Amino acid sequence: MIKHIALALTLALAPLSSFAAQFEEGKHFTQIAETASAQPKLTEFFSFYCHNCYNMEKQYLGDIKANLDKKVTFDSKHVDFMNSDIGTEVMRSLAVIQELNAGDKMTHAMFAAIQGDEDAHGHNHDHGAHEKPELNNRDDIKKVFAANGFDINEYDAVADSKAVNDKIDLWRVQQRQFQIQSVPAFVVNDKYAVNMSSIRTLGELIDLINYLAVERK
């Protein structure tokens, strides 16, 4: 079962406060490692099966990335809460997307393929209007890539490459290392986890991420 938190807020754009807010360890963020990454970075852990992750992707992630300090890089990683063959293949699809530099187009396509091509809010109650394909194996995933203009003859080679396998292994290790229990989750500099339940506005979230990335030691 996919574990996720219901964001206890509606993130809304608010003027950035230039880190004026006082962020408290244990309330707004948690230290999860002793040492930080060499360079400032933000990592999002998510799942294509998570409705809140879909909301984050469609409504907020673009603004978060656009307002990161210029020194902060961004990365996304897929969690493995399912521990199943199809769960691994769905994880693998994100690694393939990254290796192919397929960007937002294929990320959105995978979300839509799994959750249905409707608003992430789920306001549409006409179940016949947005039928979603069944994704049961790699061939089903390849059909999603093909429908979005990718040559699926290359898919297997990329999906089974050392680079992709190493990436999946790292995601699993870091999921345990950073104690990711719910998604979406944000980890800053491989050292701090954002406590999403304490965040009230999108501006506050961006401020906190930048503070942890470039100011917090």
Side-chain angles (χ1 to χ4, degrees):
M1 178 182 295
I2 290 298
K3 301 182 222 174
H4 60 83
I5 53 173
L7 296 179
L9 63 146
T10 300
L11 291 178
L13 274 174
L16 301 187
S17 60
S18 301
F19 313 141
Q22 295 298 307
F23 296 118
E24 301 177 24
E25 184 172 357
K27 178 180 179 182
H28 298 99
F29 64 93
T30 303
Q31 181 173 326
I32 54 175
E34 290 299 319
T35 58
S37 55
Q39 302 297 327
K41 67 177 181 178
L42 170 65
T43 304
E44 180 202 21
F45 287 86
F46 78 98
S47 169
F48 282 128
Y49 291 93
C50 163
H51 294 293
N52 287 326
C53 298
Y54 197 6
N55 281 330
M56 179 66 72
E57 174 74 22
K58 294 181 72 173
Q59 299 183 51
Y60 309 118
L61 199 58
D63 288 312
I64 292 171
K65 291 192 284 189
N67 286 284
L68 290 177
D69 185 283
K70 296 186 185 301
K71 296 187 285 291
V72 181
T73 60
F74 175 82
D75 191 17
S76 60
K77 301 178 180 182
H78 200 290
V79 293
D80 184 18
F81 289 157
M82 295 179 69
N83 192 28
S84 65
D85 289 343
I86 185 57
T88 297
E89 287 300 333
V90 169
M91 283 181 72
R92 193 178 298 277
S93 73
L94 177 64
V96 171
I97 289 169
Q98 294 177 352
E99 288 296 306
L100 294 177
N101 294 315
D104 293 341
K105 176 181 179 180
M106 277 310 308
T107 301
H108 286 262
M110 282 299 298
F111 268 120
I114 289 173
Q115 299 195 32
D117 190 17
E118 59 183 277
D119 262 350
H121 298 295
H123 292 324
N124 192 317
H125 298 291
D126 182 358
H127 298 294
H130 295 289
E131 291 189 13
K132 57 184 178 181
E134 289 291 332
L135 295 188
N136 297 310
N137 51 48
R138 182 183 294 190
D139 285 342
D140 292 338
I141 293 172
K142 288 162 70 172
K143 291 175 185 176
V144 179
F145 276 72
N148 284 274
F150 287 89
D151 183 0
I152 59 172
N153 293 321
E154 300 177 8
Y155 188 95
D156 289 331
V158 177
D160 294 324
S161 66
K162 183 179 186 301
V164 165
N165 285 325
D166 288 349
K167 187 169 285 193
I168 290 174
D169 288 343
L170 175 64
W171 293 352
R172 286 180 168 136
V173 167
Q174 290 188 330
Q175 178 183 323
R176 295 190 298 270
Q177 176 186 351
F178 299 149
Q179 302 172 48
I180 305 299
Q181 300 294 324
S182 58
V183 288
F186 291 104
V187 173
V188 182
N189 294 358
D190 291 344
K191 185 175 181 179
Y192 301 108
V194 172
N195 295 339
M196 293 296 289
S197 61
S198 71
I199 305 301
R200 292 293 174 264
T201 68
L202 183 57
E204 184 180 20
L205 176 59
I206 294 167
D207 275 358
L208 174 57
I209 290 168
N210 283 326
Y211 163 70
L212 294 173
V214 300
E215 292 193 10
R216 179 83 179 182
K217 304 300 183 183

